[in-house]
Amino acid sequence: MDEVLDVVDVVADSGFEGIVTWLLRLVGLVAVLAGLGLWLFTEMGLLILPAVLILLGLVLLVAPSVLLLAAELT
């Protein structure tokens, strides 16, 4: 976890935190949409892959804000 906070701290110091945050959010949104597409538009049902994609996408939507807040607090 310390390594992740170090990377986030370097990104925050370089001034690219806005770009990285929105890039991760965009990837998260694409993952959520892909998971929902697999679940709704195929005959997969709620299996492991759509559920993992949806959860990973939700984590990527929330994680950048949480990591930047944690890096500022430390």
Side-chain angles (χ1 to χ4, degrees):
M1 183 68 182
D2 291 334
E3 292 84 14
V4 173
L5 288 177
D6 290 339
V7 170
V8 171
D9 192 33
V10 168
V11 169
D13 289 342
S14 68
F16 293 121
E17 70 268 3
I19 295 169
V20 172
T21 301
W22 282 107
L23 183 66
L24 287 174
R25 286 180 182 162
L26 182 65
V27 170
L29 183 64
V30 168
V32 168
L33 291 176
L36 286 174
L38 281 175
W39 180 43
L40 295 174
F41 299 120
T42 64
E43 294 183 15
M44 262 184 141
L46 185 60
L47 294 176
I48 300 298
L49 183 62
V52 167
L53 280 173
I54 292 170
L55 289 175
L56 178 70
L58 290 175
V59 167
L60 284 176
L61 286 172
V62 175
S65 302
V66 172
L67 286 176
L68 286 173
L69 180 66
E72 288 178 8
L73 292 177
T74 59

